[in-house]
Amino acid sequence: MTVPGIISDMDSCSSNDGDSDVNSSGYRERKIIVANMLPLHAKRDGETSKWRFSWDEDALLLHLKDGFSPETEVIYVGSLKVDINVNEQEEVAQNLLEDFNCVPTFLPHDLQKKFYLGFCKQHLWPLFHYMLPMCPDHGDRFDRILWQAYVSANKIFADKVMEVINPDDDCVWIHDYHLMVLPTFLRKHFHRIKLGFFLHSPFPSSEIYRTLPVRDEILRGLLNCDLIGFHTFDYARHFLSCCSRMLGLDYESKRGHIGLDYFGRTVFIKILPVGIHVGRLESVLNLSSTPAKIKEIQKQLEGKKLILGIDDMDIFKGISLKLMAMEQLLQQHPGLQGKIVLVQIVNPARGFGKDVQEAKEETYMTAKKINDVYGSPNYQPVILIDRPVPRYEKSAYYALAECCIVNAVRDGMNLVPYKYIVCRQGTPGMDEALGVKPDSPRTSMLVVSEFIGCSPSLSGAIRVNPWDIDAVAEAINTAITMPESEKQLRHDKHYRYVSTHDVAYWARSFTMDLDRACQDHFSKRCWGIGFGLGFRVVSLSPSFRRLSTDHILLAYKRTNRRAIFLDYDGTVVPKASIIKSPSPEVISIIQTLCDDPKNTVFIVSGRGRTSLSEWLAPCKKLGIAAEHGYFIRWSKDSEWETCPVSADLEWKRIVEPVMNLYREATDGSSIEAKESALVWHHQDADPDFGSCQAKELLDHLESVLANEPAVVNRGQHIVEVKPLGVSKGLVAEKVLSRMVNGGEPPDLVMCVGDDKSDEDMFQSILTSVSNPSLPVAPEIFACTVGRKPSKAKYYLDDTADVLKLLKGLATATISKPRCLPRMQVSFESNG
């Protein structure tokens, strides 16, 4: 827990001892904190007209330093809350860096307005709080000019970070929705940068978020981080759902950590609500002005029970709903009139839109109505405080309130309940000033909206739906009439949580997880792909590299017995293609390779034998393994062989009704019946529901097939049941074994495939070639299609790349014909 600080002695500088570069003798750990605003106050000196700066002692960004080691240097990058003349900017920037370790961004005034008041406040803020611009009177429609300003501002922030960063060692922690494309700019320059992001607002459901025209750019921006933090699981779940629905990314949980695989990089998700600086708040309670204010308020209220609300003035804080609940409470319980007072402190609005003005007018009108009906000359049931309120005065109200109510209709976190709990606990100094015994019981009661981020962490609070006025009124009544013993138990439980999960704990936990997320950065090869905001980094094993035509041609030309295995869908034919039959070019290339007597070529696929034999009929010497190798044909003139290990297909009678059940229950799903297998497809179903049903179907089938000779596999948008012991890997083993037994062991093996089932083939080849019966170990070219983690050592980008490589081999075959005995082998297929 953070120790109490002394306000008057708060550090006014965090000097970086001269220069921020790494010296040769050693490196001091540095954290670069990037946010829209720097944690500083600024004002001009009346005498010298020079700018004077001081720390904003209430700023979260300032307090999170307590979670770092004392040796850590912290650099802040952000904007100032005032406009600085261009001719003063250089001097101010130098002073801020030397005295405060702060780097100001100095956004031009017009850009700042379009960026913050425009795109951030008129587009992102309402959208992230579930407000859509259904008509011009309710929010602004998307404006491409404001979006461009948002991107330009993020680029300026990136430039400022790059001025001070040591990319190999420094950690960068970005805060909030103002800077969601900043990670893309930083990752573009520094592929291995340690990059974290924390969202302090809600993240909306996919149905809301998907309306944003620049949804993909923002998602990809966040995915360029190593760790993304959210206050609650709901916010994280919505983000993951958006990644799944809009980018086709799946996530998994490993040992308690949620991770998304994004082009070989694992992007981790952190769920932890932010805390408060307990010591800072206790310092305020210890000021002499705080107990004095408490006594003043006690005298003013004359024994009435105080219900407290402290909110920003905006449309999402639910102030008017809170007042309506108060009105309902006084109406339903007339005995409370004259005995309770709601003090509503209104913090200054952060925006200046028409909606804010309307919310303010409604608040005043509702308060006046309540006071007119239920008040008297000596009693006002609602007291509105709409002015800047000093910290000690707020703390005094917190300390006196019987109940605190936070009724927001949507809020990212809201730390008011945490502050209330600490103030109700008090301090020895405050107790002494008020004449309270140190061991006297402490109580507090919270009524909180279920739509705010802190709600899940406050298990002893009374949670309410802010739109249900009756329920909120009853919750307030329950809170103020609850037995003291129960109030004490609830308070003790909350105080234990708040005091141990403070801002230092939050910052420390986040940075520890960020370090863990980045620990493999330098063990992988990285390179960037994509343009503009679609940029991302591919991160793969150092031994994993692109298979160049020139590289394999050298080996191809000097070898005499070659085994070539090719997958079908996603390898020689694009998966996205509506036409699944091979093009004339593909047929010509395969036929040329098969005509070389040095080559044994196989197509190995998950498709049925009928369609494959029909489509590939011109290639008479081509070997085909259909349905993952259940059926094998060595050439067009040979008969189909059936896998002997699993001739019993009686299990299909068990599987078919189960799959039909899920097909009927899942709109968009279908069943593909093969001779040896059954496949349930859900690529056209709702992504979330289809994935959920696939998991359930997998469990269901594994249960009913426990004693059957069949295996259940889950692939991309499919659940497949096939005979036990059938795989593409076994096809490769069988072909290579026949070549060895025929006295023609291969001296080159090439295998190309794109999906999970092909990994069996890669593994099988690597295992088979180590067989001691081979006189010489063949050269292996296992190649996956697409840059992704694989057992293969090589990759090609797409089907076009595969065809280009095969065409190169075919050209080499034609240019140097050979007349040697040949044996044919080929393989691979789509799973």
Side-chain angles (χ1 to χ4, degrees):
M1 176 176 143
T2 311
V3 297
I6 305 300
I7 297 173
S8 58
D9 294 335
M10 183 67 123
D11 266 353
S12 62
C13 86
S14 175
S15 71
N16 69 354
D17 300 324
D19 99 80
S20 60
D21 292 333
V22 182
N23 59 50
S24 58
S25 61
Y27 178 72
R28 182 183 177 191
E29 184 184 14
R30 296 201 311 176
K31 311 285 188 192
I32 299 177
I33 309 298
V34 193
N36 180 40
M37 291 294 173
L38 291 170
L40 295 172
H41 290 308
K43 65 178 181 179
R44 279 196 183 274
D45 188 295
E47 296 179 2
T48 64
S49 295
K50 294 284 188 181
W51 283 104
R52 294 287 178 260
F53 299 94
S54 61
W55 288 115
D56 178 357
E57 297 165 356
D58 289 329
L60 172 71
L61 298 183
L62 187 64
H63 297 158
L64 61 78
K65 288 197 301 184
D66 288 358
F68 307 151
S69 69
E71 294 77 27
T72 302
E73 178 185 4
V74 179
I75 298 176
Y76 294 101
V77 178
S79 295
L80 290 165
K81 298 167 187 172
V82 294
D83 286 331
I84 307 293
N85 293 332
V86 175
N87 59 352
E88 297 177 288
Q89 288 180 3
E90 185 175 349
E91 179 185 357
V92 167
Q94 186 66 29
N95 291 339
L96 288 178
L97 185 59
E98 291 176 357
D99 298 339
F100 296 92
N101 251 20
C102 289
V103 179
T105 53
F106 296 131
L107 299 183
H109 179 74
D110 184 56
L111 179 64
Q112 170 73 17
K113 185 177 178 182
K114 290 177 180 176
F115 156 64
Y116 181 69
L117 295 178
F119 194 76
C120 290
K121 281 301 180 185
Q122 297 304 315
H123 288 324
L124 289 181
W125 178 255
L127 183 81
F128 278 30
H129 288 75
Y130 290 74
M131 181 177 171
L132 293 175
M134 303 300 290
C135 61
D137 289 339
H138 292 84
D140 295 344
R141 301 286 170 86
F142 179 80
D143 187 336
R144 184 69 57 176
I145 293 175
L146 298 183
W147 162 246
Q148 290 167 353
Y150 181 85
V151 174
S152 298
N154 275 243
K155 178 65 169 63
I156 292 173
F157 274 80
D159 292 339
K160 292 298 181 181
V161 172
M162 287 187 279
E163 287 179 9
V164 296
I165 191 173
N166 176 356
D168 290 342
D169 297 295
D170 295 347
C171 282
V172 180
W173 187 0
I174 302 168
H175 291 264
D176 225 1
Y177 65 96
H178 315 90
L179 303 171
M180 290 193 291
V181 297
L182 171 58
T184 296
F185 292 117
L186 294 177
R187 185 70 66 188
K188 196 168 191 176
H189 283 82
F190 310 118
H191 293 350
R192 291 183 175 88
I193 188 174
K194 299 172 186 174
L195 200 51
F197 180 94
F198 198 93
L199 183 67
H200 293 270
S201 78
F203 196 94
S205 72
S206 60
E207 293 305 304
I208 297 293
Y209 181 80
R210 71 196 308 172
T211 64
L212 187 63
V214 289
R215 62 193 191 185
D216 286 3
E217 290 88 335
I218 288 176
L219 285 180
R220 292 192 186 279
L222 294 177
L223 289 169
N224 274 318
C225 294
D226 297 296
L227 180 66
I228 307 170
F230 299 92
H231 287 305
T232 72
F233 175 69
D234 275 349
Y235 303 161
R237 178 169 55 85
H238 293 157
F239 172 76
L240 294 169
S241 177
C242 288
C243 290
S244 172
R245 290 172 176 270
M246 292 156 216
L247 301 180
L249 301 176
D250 291 326
Y251 70 92
E252 59 181 358
S253 182
K254 290 182 179 178
R255 296 184 178 179
H257 300 287
I258 300 173
L260 279 160
D261 183 76
Y262 188 57
F263 293 91
R265 291 174 51 248
T266 300
V267 181
F268 287 95
I269 304 300
K270 174 78 171 175
I271 302 165
L272 183 66
V274 69
I276 61 172
H277 193 296
V278 177
R280 164 73 182 152
L281 200 51
E282 289 175 340
S283 295
V284 177
L285 295 175
N286 286 331
L287 295 174
S288 59
S289 53
T290 304
K293 189 65 183 180
I294 290 175
K295 292 175 183 177
E296 180 186 326
I297 298 170
Q298 284 176 326
K299 185 177 180 182
Q300 177 189 348
L301 295 180
E302 297 176 341
K304 299 180 182 68
K305 288 188 176 182
L306 169 60
I307 301 167
L308 180 64
I310 299 181
D311 302 277
D312 295 344
M313 176 52 75
D314 72 44
I315 58 175
F316 301 112
K317 293 301 186 287
I319 298 176
S320 59
L321 292 173
K322 187 189 303 183
L323 297 180
M324 291 166 67
M326 182 68 176
E327 180 182 24
Q328 184 80 347
L329 177 64
L330 294 171
Q331 179 183 336
Q332 291 180 344
H333 302 274
L336 294 176
Q337 294 177 28
K339 295 180 180 178
I340 60 171
V341 174
L342 171 63
V343 174
Q344 177 63 54
I345 298 176
V346 180
N347 297 324
R350 300 184 189 184
F352 304 98
K354 181 174 65 173
D355 51 356
V356 173
Q357 191 58 38
E358 289 176 353
K360 190 170 185 177
E361 290 173 1
E362 183 182 8
T363 297
Y364 271 88
M365 184 177 66
T366 308
K368 183 177 184 302
K369 175 186 170 186
I370 296 171
N371 288 334
D372 288 346
V373 174
Y374 300 100
S376 64
N378 298 319
Y379 170 61
Q380 279 191 315
V382 176
I383 299 174
L384 278 182
I385 302 178
D386 188 7
R387 57 173 169 78
V389 179
R391 288 187 296 271
Y392 76 87
E393 185 176 349
K394 281 185 183 176
S395 299
Y397 278 108
Y398 277 135
L400 277 176
E402 287 277 326
C403 171
C404 180
I405 175 170
V406 181
N407 205 46
V409 297
R410 188 73 59 178
D411 206 350
M413 182 59 193
N414 201 311
L415 295 173
V416 165
Y418 289 7
K419 295 175 182 178
Y420 166 67
I421 290 162
V422 173
C423 289
R424 288 291 286 178
Q425 181 70 18
T427 65
M430 188 181 80
D431 290 345
E432 185 179 350
L434 294 173
V436 177
K437 293 180 180 180
D439 58 348
S440 60
R442 312 296 161 135
T443 63
S444 63
M445 278 307 301
L446 281 165
V447 175
V448 298
S449 163
E450 60 192 48
F451 299 113
I452 64 176
C454 67
S455 175
S457 64
L458 298 169
S459 56
I462 302 175
R463 297 192 183 100
V464 294
N465 173 2
W467 301 100
D468 188 344
I469 306 299
D470 290 337
V472 177
E474 192 53 41
I476 298 173
N477 184 53
T478 301
I480 60 178
T481 57
M482 187 174 288
E484 292 296 306
S485 58
E486 187 171 347
K487 288 182 183 179
Q488 184 181 345
L489 288 173
R490 291 177 184 244
H491 170 80
D492 290 345
K493 185 177 185 181
H494 286 158
Y495 183 72
R496 279 195 302 272
Y497 177 85
V498 172
S499 60
T500 54
H501 292 71
D502 62 353
V503 66
Y505 172 88
W506 171 75
R508 184 165 52 252
S509 178
F510 186 91
T511 52
M512 285 174 63
D513 276 7
L514 179 57
D515 289 339
R516 180 184 51 78
C518 301
Q519 63 187 2
D520 294 333
H521 272 194
F522 290 92
S523 65
K524 294 185 176 182
R525 294 172 62 238
C526 299
W527 60 94
I529 59 173
F531 298 99
L533 296 176
F535 176 86
R536 59 266 190 204
V537 165
V538 176
S539 177
L540 296 167
S541 165
S543 61
F544 192 65
R545 56 197 177 102
R546 183 184 179 86
L547 180 57
S548 71
T549 303
D550 291 342
H551 178 60
I552 193 172
L553 269 178
L554 292 173
Y556 186 84
K557 289 177 180 179
R558 68 172 175 259
T559 50
N560 295 309
R561 288 178 299 276
R562 315 178 190 109
I564 300 173
F565 300 94
L566 301 172
D567 181 29
Y568 188 78
D569 291 276
T571 301
V572 295
V573 174
K575 270 190 174 174
S577 174
I578 297 176
I579 301 172
K580 296 301 181 183
S581 57
S583 66
E585 181 186 20
V586 170
I587 293 293
S588 174
I589 291 171
I590 293 176
Q591 192 165 357
T592 301
L593 291 173
C594 290
D595 287 342
D596 188 337
K598 292 184 176 184
N599 294 343
T600 295
V601 185
F602 256 81
I603 289 289
V604 184
S605 175
R607 284 190 175 274
R609 59 178 172 172
T610 303
S611 54
L612 287 174
S613 58
E614 178 186 340
W615 293 339
L616 299 167
C619 306
K620 298 184 182 301
K621 298 176 183 178
L622 174 67
I624 298 176
E627 299 191 18
H628 299 289
Y630 186 79
F631 298 107
I632 294 180
R633 189 179 73 182
W634 296 89
S635 68
K636 187 177 181 181
D637 297 332
S638 62
E639 296 296 322
W640 285 100
E641 299 175 10
T642 304
C643 181
V645 295
S646 298
D648 179 12
L649 300 178
E650 286 298 308
W651 51 263
K652 291 176 77 173
R653 294 194 304 173
I654 302 172
V655 172
E656 193 164 8
V658 175
M659 282 193 173
N660 273 323
L661 183 69
Y662 283 81
R663 178 184 57 80
E664 291 169 4
T666 313
D667 187 40
S669 67
S670 60
I671 298 174
E672 177 189 0
K674 300 179 182 179
E675 289 183 70
S676 69
L678 287 171
V679 187
W680 184 76
H681 295 267
H682 62 94
Q683 66 264 32
D684 295 327
D686 176 88
D688 288 340
F689 185 53
S691 179
C692 177
Q693 290 288 77
K695 290 177 185 176
E696 187 64 29
L697 175 59
L698 183 70
D699 290 342
H700 194 157
L701 290 172
E702 285 178 342
S703 174
V704 299
L705 295 174
N707 299 313
E708 299 293 332
V711 61
V712 188
N713 290 320
R714 187 178 175 198
Q716 189 173 20
H717 305 307
I718 65 162
V719 174
E720 181 177 34
V721 184
K722 62 182 182 180
L724 188 66
V726 173
S727 74
K728 291 184 178 183
L730 292 176
V731 174
E733 287 179 19
K734 187 171 185 178
V735 171
L736 294 175
S737 177
R738 177 177 287 201
M739 292 180 73
V740 172
N741 295 335
E744 296 185 345
D747 46 16
L748 181 146
V749 179
M750 185 179 83
C751 176
V752 188
D754 76 304
D755 67 15
K756 191 175 180 180
S757 64
D758 299 312
E759 295 295 319
D760 292 337
M761 206 155 43
F762 300 148
Q763 183 63 49
S764 177
I765 287 171
L766 294 172
T767 303
S768 298
V769 297
S770 60
N771 191 321
S773 63
L774 293 174
V776 179
E779 297 189 59
I780 304 297
F781 294 92
C783 179
T784 187
V785 181
R787 306 185 197 189
K788 57 182 181 291
S790 171
K791 293 174 184 174
K793 286 191 174 183
Y794 298 94
Y795 74 88
L796 291 169
D797 284 327
D798 50 30
T799 304
D801 263 5
V802 175
L803 294 184
K804 182 180 177 182
L805 182 138
L806 294 178
K807 190 173 183 179
L809 299 183
T811 303
T813 296
I814 295 170
S815 62
K816 293 191 176 182
R818 313 275 179 147
C819 296
L820 296 175
R822 70 173 288 286
M823 184 178 184
Q824 176 184 351
V825 174
S826 165
F827 97 146
E828 185 181 32
S829 147
N830 162 42

